[in-house]
Amino acid sequence: MSGPAVFVFPGQGSQFPGMGHEAVRLGPHARQLTTAAEAVTGLPLTELMTRADARRLAEPEVAQVVVLVWSLAALAGLRRTGWRPAAVAGHSLGEYTALVACGSLDQEAALSLVTCRARAMAKAARRNPGSMAAIVGLSAETVAGLCQGASGRGQLAVIANWNSPRQIVVAGTVAAVDQVIEAAGRAGALRARRLAVGGAYHTPLMDEARDSLATSLADVPLAAPRIPFVSSVTAERVTDIAAYRTHLLAQVVRPVRWSDTVRTLSGLGAETYVEAGPGRVLSGLGREMARTARHLTAREALRTTPWAAGHRTSHPVEAGGDEPRAKELT
């Protein structure tokens, strides 16, 4: 690839109140997609994306679906304005949008699967309560040691997201995560705080969710990617879609390797990263890791001709304001 643009899709945590108003600015197709998604998911998505408060949007049954719908609308809008990704990747939930973008998964199937995934994870979280916390400014080795020290005697803390060399998310039982937060502060972390999420995602506490999702995922057709697709589970390009199905299922209990995923995309020659979803958290992480590349949010990309970004097609684009900035993804 020579100077390509890659699309990266965010996960749960990038939703925000009023996100539906921002989605409409992606183009008239966004409203149509949201209405169609309501029929598939059974959720009042238009109302949720325009009127729900942050607490309601943070519920996994809601958060995962609204982020997926917003990201699918962004993907459609970018395609309409001439953007064609040379590769794609998604952070956790965002991997489902990436599968749609690379032609491996049907859009309706993605909506159905994510609805099942969200409900299964919410149920597992109620049965096995847990929490997550973002740790900034400590090495992975230090954080791993803190997790080990907090685990045992019925308590568990593990690394759930390697978001960047500076930012790591830990998850586990509430007491263990709180212990890690306290220990991280003593160890000199720049920031160590609990995240507003409903469970310990990407940990063994989600085993029940993985088992529930297995039935739904087993019969869903997955086609070979038409463009390079890098999994955030393995941080490698997917070449065997049949083998990848196992990784997609295990995603809810395995950590997100985002820093390694960005490294792989950079190795493919990525020079422009377009965050095709709500918020700008992946753009912030990307600027930290791929410093010489250009990083655009979906709205920024829609205001920029693909040609101007080094992408060799050019179409009219839409104008609009900036999105709120997100801090961490789960």
Side-chain angles (χ1 to χ4, degrees):
M1 297 188 294
S2 176
V6 300
F7 285 5
V8 290
F9 300 94
Q12 184 174 340
S14 58
Q15 72 280 352
F16 56 89
M19 61 191 296
H21 300 299
E22 295 293 329
V24 168
R25 297 182 186 180
L26 297 172
H29 62 280
R31 192 183 301 276
Q32 299 168 358
L33 191 153
T34 302
T35 301
E38 288 180 334
V40 176
T41 65
L43 290 172
L45 296 173
T46 300
E47 180 178 353
L48 289 168
M49 294 173 70
T50 55
R51 300 179 182 177
D53 59 18
R55 185 170 184 176
R56 174 73 167 124
L57 288 174
E59 296 173 4
E61 300 99 318
V62 174
Q64 295 190 31
V65 176
V66 297
V67 170
L68 173 67
V69 169
W70 207 106
S71 299
L72 289 172
L75 173 64
L78 290 164
R79 283 172 168 170
R80 286 168 181 252
T81 54
W83 287 91
R84 297 293 183 270
V88 295
H91 187 289
S92 185
L93 160 71
E95 197 148 308
Y96 286 83
T97 328
L99 284 167
V100 174
C102 73
S104 290
L105 184 63
D106 175 80
Q107 179 172 284
E108 186 171 325
L111 287 164
S112 179
L113 276 175
V114 167
T115 300
C116 292
R117 179 184 190 266
R119 291 172 179 168
M121 293 174 73
K123 182 179 179 181
R126 288 191 292 268
R127 292 172 65 94
N128 300 289
S131 65
M132 304 181 76
I135 311 297
V136 177
L138 296 180
S139 69
E141 293 77 13
T142 298
V143 176
L146 297 180
C147 288
Q148 185 175 3
S151 299
R153 296 185 179 182
Q155 299 299 319
L156 173 72
V158 297
I159 292 178
N161 301 168
W162 278 284
N163 280 343
S164 76
R166 293 179 68 250
Q167 184 189 114
I168 294 172
V169 173
V170 302
T173 55
V174 175
V177 170
D178 285 346
Q179 184 175 330
V180 171
I181 292 173
E182 294 177 5
R186 293 193 298 270
L190 298 176
R191 185 167 71 245
R193 68 178 184 184
R194 184 100 66 92
L195 299 180
V197 297
Y201 309 134
H202 303 292
T203 77
L205 295 180
M206 289 288 113
D207 280 344
E208 179 181 320
R210 177 194 56 194
D211 296 342
S212 297
L213 187 60
T215 302
S216 300
L217 185 58
D219 298 326
V220 173
L222 290 178
R226 297 173 189 165
I227 59 175
F229 162 54
V230 179
S231 169
S232 61
V233 181
T234 64
E236 297 176 352
R237 180 176 172 179
V238 174
T239 56
D240 185 341
I241 196 67
Y244 166 75
R245 187 185 296 269
T246 302
H247 295 307
L248 183 61
L249 177 60
Q251 185 199 58
V252 296
V253 297
R254 292 179 58 183
V256 178
R257 298 176 57 188
W258 191 248
S259 55
D260 289 336
T261 298
V262 172
R263 187 176 300 112
T264 299
L265 291 170
S266 296
L268 291 174
E271 293 185 2
T272 298
Y273 289 77
V274 177
E275 183 171 3
R280 55 178 68 240
V281 62
L282 294 184
S283 298
L285 295 174
R287 290 187 182 95
E288 179 185 336
M289 296 181 283
R291 296 179 180 275
T292 61
R294 187 176 188 183
H295 299 272
L296 301 173
T297 66
R299 295 289 307 287
E300 289 167 345
L302 286 169
R303 296 197 299 270
T304 305
T305 60
W307 178 85
H311 198 59
R312 299 185 180 279
T313 57
S314 180
H315 293 270
V317 295
E318 301 170 12
D322 290 332
E323 314 92 326
R325 179 172 182 173
K327 298 296 186 183
E328 294 92 11
L329 290 181
T330 60

